[in-house]
Amino acid sequence: MLKSDHVTVPTAKTSRLLHRNTRDPGTVPGHRARSGMENKPASNPAKARELTQNPLKKIWMPYKNGLPEKHTSQRKVCMTNCPTLIVTVGLPARGKTYISKKLTRYLNWIGVPTREFNVGQYRRDYMKIYKSFEFFRPDNEEGLKIRQHCASAALNDVRQYLSDEGGQVAVFDATNTTRERRRTIFQFAKQNGFKVFFVESVCEDPHVIQENIVQVKLGSPDYTNCNTEEAVSDFMKRIQCYENSYQTLDEVLDRDLSYIKIMDVGRRYLVNRVLDHIQSRIVYYLMNIHITPRSIYLCRHGESELNIKGRIGGDSGLSARGKEFAKLLSQFIAAQGISDLKVWTSQMKRTIQTAEALDVPYEQWKVLNEIDAGVCEEMMYEEIQESHPLEFALRDQDKYRYRYPKGESYEDLVQRLEPAIMELERQENVLVICHQAVMRCLLAYFLDKTAEELPYLKCPLHTVLKLTPVAYGCKVESICLSAEAVNTHRERPENVNVHRTTEDALRTLPDHF
Amino acid sequence: MRGSATRHPTGVGWTMDRQDVHLETCSLTQNPLRKIWTPCKNGLPEAPIFQRRVCMTNCPTLIVTVGLPARGKTYISKKLTRYLNWIGVPTKEFNVGQYRRDFLKIYKSFEFFRTDNEEGLKIRRQCALSALSDVHQYLTGGGGQVAVFDATNTTRERRATIVRFAEQNGFKVFFVESVCDDPEVIAANIVQVKLGSPDYINCNSEEAVEDFMKRIECYKTSYQPLDEVLDRDLSYIKVMDVGLRFLVNRVLDHIQSRIVYYLMNIHITPRSIYLCRHGESDLNIQGRIGGDSGLSDRGRDFGQGLRKFIEEQQIKELKVWTSQMKRTIQTAEVLGVPYEQWKALNEIDAGVCEEMMYEEIQDSFPLEFAMRDQDKYRYRYPKGESYEDLVQRLEPVIMELERQENVLVVCHQAVMRCLLAYFLDKGAEELPYLKCPLHTVLKLTPVAYGCKVESVCLQVEAVNTHRTRPENVNAQRSTEEALQTVPDHF
């Protein structure tokens, strides 16, 4: 039973602090039991502690005097004992920043607080103006000093992020092409109790390098005032500055380091000494991504019978307007002329009915099913407010972490969807016909949206989002195929207090029949 | 307008493949066993559709091991086969050494493997071809998706033969090479699996080791490891020094990517995995399934017993995992050690049947109840899950168990059956009927090519929750027949 008077609902911020204060007496001093939280044993183990269920996440945890004893969180990703420093290695234009940003985005999405530190950016902030490649000449003493200073400043911020700000992984994005520089970083990490994992990108294919320069260098702040030819010429000379002193990770000399060497944009990999779960996941991710141009289409099923009634969840069929949408979707897809399009649906009737109209093969994924609303399945928001006002308020307080009784949370959804994201990375052109909460999670991954934003992303019925990777991010085109559908988007109301009135609670309810 | 059910490029089963444009959205019917929606016509499903399990390749895959003797090829082959079958990819291993043993009947000595032994070479080649023939049969009509061709395959010439064979038959090839020169690892390998081999039944340890070392020598001079340049067009993973380092080349598709991930997560460090259920719960006593109830008094006693047992075992750095359901957490709490809660370890979701007694299920859903008995592995509760779904949900748990060392998993009946089936290589038919009684701990210790199981009953009384498959699984059976095998409860 929920004791709404006694139980404090932990906010995201306090929960993080509680995480970091937890010590597992069994581990080596200096290591923290991190966010894959572990429960601390009772002082008197013979008497088992009573359990209470956290009202937001529905997690059972031990309590004392009516208050939770320790904040626990369900296991998300198996954490290492200590933070991890990922260090990129490679000549300019080998995709280090592309990898850094993508990896950071992925890790944050699966719940591992990650941040990238781009030394080039530190240099730009420091220097303000970039003159030419001469800055990078190995005999430019002044340049070397400044670059060293920038690297140190970045490492300082890394330390702060990992030791003081609750970061779990930091990605140190720079060329790091000399063994000496890497040794400095390794020592820094050791002093601070961080694990180090190197990610080297090696590529000699001139086409790839050229394409890289066009995609991300021409638009760089460094080349704002240059024309294309000048920029390319300067950048090629910049690469040359590094080539002479480049010491690639060596199978023998660097055999004690943990690293992955990516060769020719993923054709070949050398993986050395993977130490823990997070490194294993990073390797798996890096081995599945590619840079072949393609587009991902996301949309929801057509309007359903339950949508019309303002009811959530369930497994109803399409309304007449929903069937119309399916036909329009079919025409849209045909008009796009996409080569080798894969179509994925969930296992719920409404997405399958939508796909059926496309007249192409499709695959059903159970993990794409809509969020399970547990006891609230097939209810209207008005009914939820009436029978579960506390639940309704908790959901508004923290929509990402809130788990329906006997149901799921957005946080659970993300974990469930991870294999779908991994397969989307492997694939090329894909159309995913799914559901509102599911689409929000997928979209948040591609557009790097935070846990706070995710549950409020706008994913209206009958609108297709076309995502095309470009430069370091994703271009989004929104195509509304039909204006005729109910709105299912409920904004966060102003008053999220458990004692609010029904009126306050239902203020942002979209209309329905 | 019938759609054709073709073997779709990405589906293990079938996907909907229409030939004619079908503008009138047809109706869907829900398969009563798996609760999968499929298009239907005149009330009958038009073509079987399988939910997506693992993304399959277009064509079958031939995995080919490479390496000197005693490098773990058979260990890897068997383990990989077990994993792939468990996640639903029909896989079979073909050990050429076994073909040789079946052919020769008696093993005399390493001389058979000498490179100048013409007779021996002929026989070995014949055995390899015989195995390939069986591979062909398995992958092109025998329902197989992956075949693991386990042999030394140490020469480029032999590998070229295999690649040609695969190309002719439309199979993809993925090489798994194991390279190791650590004498300790090789010696341990020989002790673990060679001494007990049928080849050395009549030898003492010393003779066996000596002969085997000479056998390895026979291969060494002609060994051509996969080469970064010469073999750059092949798809392969080179496993070096028992997983310290990996070289991965040209991974072509999803299944190869999963195989690489798996191989990179397994290890051979000795350890034990303890599996048990939560202590007896209040709902257990009432004969009700599912729910989220707490422990009964006897369940709490089990917790105490478990704590003592764990202490006596003196396990180094034991990790304890529970589900997120109250009863497993309460059980772990008694242990007095840190534990981690996994949502993926939650009991199978019985959907509309949650918290019901079998008698009540028979009463309200006799058809569902019968279908479950007909195919307990694939049967999905309405608004719930199937064992098949459970396996998919548990895959990350298995992957992490492979990475870890000593772990105690406190879980639930259906979940424990799935995990046990993985470790003991039980098929989909056996899995839902594996015996996992309350208050009993199973200690699994990897040994040789398999797993040793020790069952420890902690001597605390509990209800029996195991319902065996009744004789009559027909939808028209009587209530009595349906409930014949329901275990007693209060």
Side-chain angles (χ1 to χ4, degrees), chain B residues 4 209 351:
Chain B
S4 57
V209 173

Side-chain angles (χ1 to χ4, degrees), chain B residues 181-375:
Chain B
D181 290 309
D182 183 338
E184 285 182 31
V185 173
I186 295 163
N189 201 323
I190 294 176
V191 167
Q192 276 256 327
V193 297
K194 304 299 179 190
L195 296 186
S197 157
D199 290 346
Y200 296 111
I201 263 184
N202 298 317
C203 300
N204 67 41
S205 296
E206 267 160 34
E207 289 166 346
V209 173
E210 199 192 316
D211 183 272
F212 199 83
M213 295 304 281
K214 293 204 189 95
R215 201 153 116 181
I216 297 177
E217 287 302 313
C218 295
Y219 284 89
K220 272 191 175 162
T221 39
S222 59
Y223 182 20
Q224 294 164 307
L226 288 170
D227 183 80
E228 268 191 58
V229 178
L230 294 172
D231 297 305
R232 64 182 171 282
D233 289 333
L234 298 179
S235 296
Y236 65 84
I237 178 171
K238 189 189 282 248
V239 180
M240 294 170 273
D241 294 321
V242 204
L244 207 87
R245 196 160 70 253
F246 303 90
L247 185 68
V248 180
N249 198 64
R250 289 193 188 259
V251 168
L252 290 181
D253 57 29
H254 178 99
I255 197 75
Q256 290 181 16
S257 160
R258 292 286 285 275
I259 288 165
V260 164
Y261 184 44
Y262 182 71
L263 292 177
M264 287 176 48
N265 281 318
I266 61 180
H267 66 78
I268 56 166
T269 309
R271 50 78 173 255
S272 288
I273 293 168
Y274 298 80
L275 301 181
C276 72
R277 292 166 66 185
H278 52 83
E280 184 192 66
S281 73
D282 288 325
L283 284 180
N284 285 146
I285 290 181
Q286 296 169 41
R288 295 181 176 282
I289 65 172
D292 194 14
S293 59
L295 298 181
S296 66
D297 288 329
R298 303 196 295 195
R300 271 187 281 274
D301 289 342
F302 166 71
Q304 296 291 348
L306 185 62
R307 185 170 65 83
K308 275 204 216 51
F309 170 74
I310 292 300
E311 274 164 21
E312 280 158 21
Q313 288 277 306
Q314 298 209 304
I315 308 152
K316 171 178 91 112
E317 277 175 39
L318 179 72
K319 297 260 167 80
V320 178
W321 297 354
T322 69
S323 71
Q324 282 182 2
M325 297 182 139
K326 193 174 182 183
R327 51 199 187 278
T328 57
I329 298 166
Q330 275 184 319
T331 308
E333 274 286 317
V334 181
L335 301 182
V337 295
Y339 57 91
E340 280 188 66
Q341 299 185 17
W342 289 69
K343 187 172 193 273
L345 287 173
N346 280 5
E347 181 58 315
I348 191 171
D349 183 356
V352 301
C353 299
E354 276 285 319
E355 301 197 41
M356 289 174 78
M357 304 190 320
Y358 287 121
E359 294 88 332
E360 291 168 350
I361 300 176
Q362 167 62 18
D363 200 42
S364 346
F365 308 102
L367 174 62
E368 295 290 328
F369 203 44
M371 280 199 299
R372 184 155 210 256
D373 285 336
Q374 288 172 21
D375 191 344

Side-chain angles (χ1 to χ4, degrees), chain B residues 407-445:
Chain B
V407 186
L408 163 66
V409 184
V410 182
C411 55
H412 306 266
Q413 183 166 246
V415 169
M416 186 164 161
R417 284 170 171 156
C418 292
L419 298 178
L420 196 58
Y422 167 75
F423 288 108
L424 301 186
D425 204 15
K426 300 295 184 186
E429 278 54 53
E430 287 181 273
L431 185 161
Y433 295 101
L434 292 174
K435 283 216 168 68
C436 295
L438 287 165
H439 300 183
T440 301
V441 183
L442 292 184
K443 176 179 177 179
L444 306 166
T445 312

Side-chain angles (χ1 to χ4, degrees), chain A residues 271 273-274 280 283-284 287, chain B residues 61-66 71-84 87 91 146 148 174-179 226 235-249 251 254-269 395 398-400 402-403 422:
Chain A
V271 179
R273 289 192 189 260
V274 168
S280 161
V283 164
Y284 185 44
M287 286 176 52
Chain B
T61 301
L62 176 60
I63 298 176
V64 182
T65 64
V66 179
R71 264 56 177 180
K73 297 184 302 299
T74 301
Y75 175 81
I76 288 171
S77 298
K78 287 183 180 286
K79 210 169 157 73
L80 193 52
T81 300
R82 178 161 56 88
Y83 168 70
L84 290 173
I87 61 172
T91 305
V146 176
V148 184
F174 189 74
F175 291 95
V176 177
E177 180 174 28
S178 175
V179 174
L226 288 170
S235 296
Y236 65 84
I237 178 171
K238 189 189 282 248
V239 180
M240 294 170 273
D241 294 321
V242 204
L244 207 87
R245 196 160 70 253
F246 303 90
L247 185 68
V248 180
N249 198 64
V251 168
H254 178 99
I255 197 75
Q256 290 181 16
S257 160
R258 292 286 285 275
I259 288 165
V260 164
Y261 184 44
Y262 182 71
L263 292 177
M264 287 176 48
N265 281 318
I266 61 180
H267 66 78
I268 56 166
T269 309
E395 201 265 349
I398 286 295
M399 196 62 88
E400 190 55 23
E402 286 294 347
R403 288 199 58 81
Y422 167 75

Side-chain angles (χ1 to χ4, degrees), chain A residues 19 35-37 57 59 71-76, chain B residues 324 341:
Chain A
H19 279 170
S35 58
M37 266 344 286
K57 294 174 113 160
I59 300 289
H71 176 83
T72 62
S73 121
Q74 69 274 32
R75 179 184 219 289
K76 279 179 310 228
Chain B
Q324 282 182 2
Q341 299 185 17

